[in-house]
Amino acid sequence: MYNVEFTQTAAKQYAKLDKFTQEMLRTFINKNLEGTDNPRIIGKPLKGNLRGLWRYEI
């Protein structure tokens, strides 16, 4: 199982989002990323200097 952790910067940016967007992100993370065996099935790997990170469309 996977666990999603926010960096300090991401947590601050998340807090600045409107409540609807926060709920949409929280729902996506809970449903598709946390608690799954392989969240990479629905994501795309980033390239270049961001190699090792993944992108998800919400």
Side-chain angles (χ1 to χ4, degrees):
M1 295 258 196
Y2 284 81
N3 183 32
V4 175
E5 295 180 8
F6 284 98
T7 62
Q8 270 189 334
T9 302
K12 287 180 183 179
Q13 291 174 346
Y14 179 82
K16 292 179 183 178
L17 296 172
D18 61 271
K19 296 299 179 190
F20 175 78
T21 304
Q22 286 181 356
E23 182 61 30
M24 188 172 60
L25 286 170
R26 185 174 28 255
T27 301
F28 178 84
I29 290 169
N30 289 339
K31 182 178 177 185
N32 297 297
L33 303 180
E34 288 191 335
T36 62
D37 292 328
N38 188 3
R40 293 179 177 173
I41 292 172
I42 61 170
K44 292 183 180 182
L46 297 178
K47 299 177 182 176
N49 63 345
L50 296 175
R51 177 172 268 143
L53 300 176
W54 287 75
R55 172 186 103 161
Y56 296 93
E57 290 186 29
I58 300 173

